[in-house]
Amino acid sequence: MTDSNWSYTSNTPNLRLVRSYEVPVQPIQVSHVSVQYRQVKALEDVSVSVQPGRLTGLIGPNGAGKSTLLKAMLGLVPVTEGSVLYGEQALADKRDRIAYVPQRSQIDWQYPATVWDVVMMGRVRQAGFFRRFSTASRRKAQAALERVGMAEFRDRPIGQLSGGQQQRVFLARSLAQEADIFCFDEPFVGVDQKTETVLFQIFRSLANEGKVVLVVNHDLGESITHFDNLILLNRELIASGPREHVLNRDNLSQAYGGHVNFYAA
Ligand code: ADP
Ligand code: MG
């Protein structure tokens, strides 16, 4: 969570300087992906690439297949056709590089975990499930909580927080994970203005660090201007690319049907 790639470890009496091995983040290539649930064809022949270093919004009406596309990318639902590659490899095989925050409705808020427990889940893969968390892991989790402005809540049960606070804790967990690819499903639903501001600031800095940042968003209002790129979906891909290019009347009426208001600045 530091801005540099250098970190100090103090396991030995002498402070050691460690350079983490750095591989540039690759684009994600979705090719001809179709997903069929029992009755419903949720996605049909979707091909799109998601570029690192760009804040990318995934938009489209309710039931358009936005969540399904994220889940298909992560290997959480099977694709009936097509592939999702990260560089040369299947993205689903690189799960340790991905941080994913599902839609609110898919999270069990009664789960008896504190804010700290949730953020430390982001460190499980590095620590190994039954191993004790290292000092470095704790420090990273603490830094992530501070970055989202939730450090003072660390001992609170997650279920007792507001929607915005919960969303910031999940963002902290994804930061603690130190992933290359960040996927958020409707993170702005039911959150306060402060949370929206914090989320967009952090999404922007992740994109500036060269990460892949993909955010499902259904609001076409002013907040849409935060995104560099958009992917517009309605079961099929309608358009993708730079925001100014995607947001036009033709594309939007194709996706939403009829007249739709959007913020075009
Ligand atoms: P969005 O996130 O854009 O609102 P979804 O990806 O959730 O859309 O859903 C796309 C379509 O697939 C919808 O018609 C939805 O009802 C259907 N669907 C989603 N999940 C399932 C599921 N687990 N089983 C059956 N149908 C599903
Ligand atoms: Mg959804």
Side-chain angles (χ1 to χ4, degrees), residues 62-68 71 103 106 185-186 216:
N62 253 333
K66 303 181 294 297
S67 298
T68 299
K71 290 179 194 166
Q103 237 167 299
Q106 303 213 347
D185 201 343
E186 308 238 17
V216 175

Side-chain angles (χ1 to χ4, degrees), residues 7-131:
S7 58
Y8 290 97
T9 57
S10 50
N11 316 354
T12 56
N14 302 322
L15 219 55
R16 286 186 301 142
L17 195 55
V18 178
R19 177 92 165 106
S20 55
Y21 177 59
E22 211 189 330
V23 183
V25 181
Q26 314 266 329
I28 295 172
Q29 191 61 54
V30 176
S31 304
H32 303 290
V33 162
S34 297
V35 172
Q36 172 92 43
Y37 294 112
R38 216 166 287 168
Q39 320 281 359
V40 185
K41 188 142 208 180
L43 292 175
E44 170 105 61
D45 197 22
V46 172
S47 295
V48 67
S49 69
V50 189
Q51 299 297 324
R54 309 278 290 169
L55 179 47
T56 303
L58 175 53
I59 60 175
N62 253 333
K66 303 181 294 297
S67 298
T68 299
L69 181 58
L70 282 193
K71 290 179 194 166
M73 289 171 59
L74 304 174
L76 299 175
V77 299
V79 301
T80 40
E81 275 170 81
S83 63
V84 181
L85 295 183
Y86 178 64
E88 310 273 281
Q89 274 180 290
L91 179 62
D93 294 339
K94 305 291 286 178
R95 284 285 289 282
D96 60 323
R97 303 313 315 142
I98 306 171
Y100 166 56
V101 180
Q103 237 167 299
R104 275 191 67 76
S105 57
Q106 303 213 347
I107 297 171
D108 175 9
W109 296 107
Q110 299 315 312
Y111 189 75
T114 63
V115 164
W116 182 250
D117 295 333
V118 170
V119 178
M120 287 308 278
M121 284 173 207
R123 300 298 308 169
V124 163
R125 221 180 281 266
Q126 288 87 342
F129 204 82
F130 296 106
R131 290 191 42 209

Side-chain angles (χ1 to χ4, degrees), residues 1 53 89 129 173 243:
M1 259 2 67
Q89 274 180 290
F129 204 82
R173 184 189 65 173
R243 168 170 47 85

Side-chain angles (χ1 to χ4, degrees), residues 159-231:
Q160 287 180 12
L161 304 180
S162 73
Q165 291 168 331
Q166 289 169 337
Q167 198 59 250
R168 278 188 275 151
V169 172
F170 276 84
L171 175 59
R173 184 189 65 173
S174 73
L175 294 172
Q177 208 181 320
E178 300 187 301
D180 291 330
I181 299 157
F182 291 80
C183 298
F184 300 92
D185 201 343
E186 308 238 17
F188 305 113
V189 171
V191 309
D192 50 294
Q193 188 57 49
K194 172 174 180 189
T195 296
E196 183 174 317
T197 305
V198 169
L199 294 184
F200 270 122
Q201 273 168 2
I202 293 175
F203 295 163
R204 170 56 57 201
S205 61
L206 291 170
N208 289 351
E209 287 163 28
K211 312 286 189 185
V212 169
V213 191
L214 181 58
V215 182
V216 175
N217 185 48
H218 70 204
D219 178 20
L220 299 177
E222 194 177 347
S223 68
I224 200 86
T225 57
H226 287 284
F227 293 101
D228 304 316
N229 283 15
L230 291 173
I231 298 171

